[in-house]
Amino acid sequence: MTTSDPRWLKLLRDEADKTSIGRAALRVGYSRTAISQALSAKYPGDMAKLERMVLSALELPMAVACPHLKLNLPTTMCHDFSTKAAPTHNPLHMMHWRACQSCPNKSEARPTSED
């Protein structure tokens, strides 16, 4: 690690050092190969997207207060519900999903395993 590493890369390195590159990749939602390439400054993909994913996975609290449900939800559950397709089959889920679209907790980045 160099002292010029940006904050997100330091978080990613720390997570990989603490667990493993594979586990860090799982937490971030990328492949092990992509994370290994990023750590060695050889990642050919969208670095801005990778940065957003690292920060959302490793920097945010593990739970967020859902203003619609008035409950604390795991960040992954919040992210998954807010970024999925509109649940047109269920009116209650649709109300929740619509509330998510303007929620300050909503993450614009979609997790993926092969970026």
Side-chain angles (χ1 to χ4, degrees):
M1 177 175 70
T2 65
T3 57
S4 63
D5 281 348
R7 182 173 44 97
W8 70 270
L9 190 54
K10 181 175 179 347
L11 285 169
L12 186 58
R13 284 187 197 287
D14 290 347
E15 181 65 22
D17 289 345
K18 184 172 56 172
T19 59
S20 70
I21 292 175
R23 287 186 186 231
L26 284 174
R27 279 199 67 195
V28 173
Y30 272 66
S31 68
R32 186 201 179 289
T33 301
I35 297 304
S36 180
Q37 289 173 334
L39 292 173
S40 61
K42 296 178 182 175
Y43 181 64
D46 184 348
M47 292 298 280
K49 182 178 178 184
L50 177 58
E51 177 180 357
R52 286 191 308 271
M53 295 299 287
V54 168
L55 291 174
S56 69
L58 303 179
E59 185 176 62
L60 292 179
M62 296 304 285
V64 294
C66 175
H68 178 75
L69 296 176
K70 308 228 184 319
L71 295 171
N72 286 332
L73 298 178
T75 55
T76 53
M77 183 183 290
C78 173
H79 173 81
D80 291 346
F81 194 84
S82 69
T83 58
K84 71 179 183 178
T88 57
H89 63 285
N90 185 315
L92 292 176
H93 288 179
M94 181 59 107
M95 286 174 38
H96 181 181
W97 181 86
R98 282 186 178 144
C100 289
Q101 301 316 297
S102 61
C103 180
N105 295 327
K106 182 181 179 195
S107 171
E108 294 300 324
R110 297 197 72 151
T112 178
S113 60
E114 293 300 321
D115 280 342

